[in-house]
Amino acid sequence: MDPDQLDPWSDSAFQLKTRETAYFLWEQDGKPEGKEQEYWFAALERGLRERDCDKKLAQTTMTDTEQTFER
């Protein structure tokens, strides 16, 4: 497996989305001081979970498509 696929920070779009999500969450909570890391880690977790779900969904869709063509 390509090492870049394991490292989310090699993907600039992922980095940007994490920063934007963290800022959005922080802003929605009234911009509390001293909580920046908390929001950054929450955004990172969301992004990683979303990416994992997308990967699983793509695998499931491919498997379903393959089964459809085998019938």
Side-chain angles (χ1 to χ4, degrees):
M1 180 175 277
D2 184 5
D4 286 344
Q5 290 178 334
L6 300 175
D7 181 12
W9 302 117
S10 64
D11 181 356
S12 60
F14 182 84
Q15 290 178 33
L16 178 62
K17 185 170 183 170
T18 300
R19 284 193 303 269
E20 289 175 344
T21 301
Y23 184 80
F24 174 80
L25 294 171
W26 175 74
E27 195 173 42
Q28 290 295 307
D29 282 348
K31 303 178 183 178
E33 286 189 40
K35 302 275 187 171
E36 294 83 4
Q37 280 190 343
E38 179 181 322
Y39 289 96
W40 187 85
F41 282 116
L44 176 60
E45 183 177 5
R46 280 185 180 203
L48 291 172
R49 285 178 187 260
E50 183 178 302
R51 193 170 75 167
D52 187 48
C53 287
D54 287 348
K55 183 190 284 186
K56 287 178 182 176
L57 182 60
Q59 289 172 349
T60 301
T61 303
M62 289 174 60
T63 302
D64 291 346
T65 302
E66 290 168 356
Q67 289 175 356
T68 300
F69 287 117
E70 289 176 0
R71 292 183 189 168

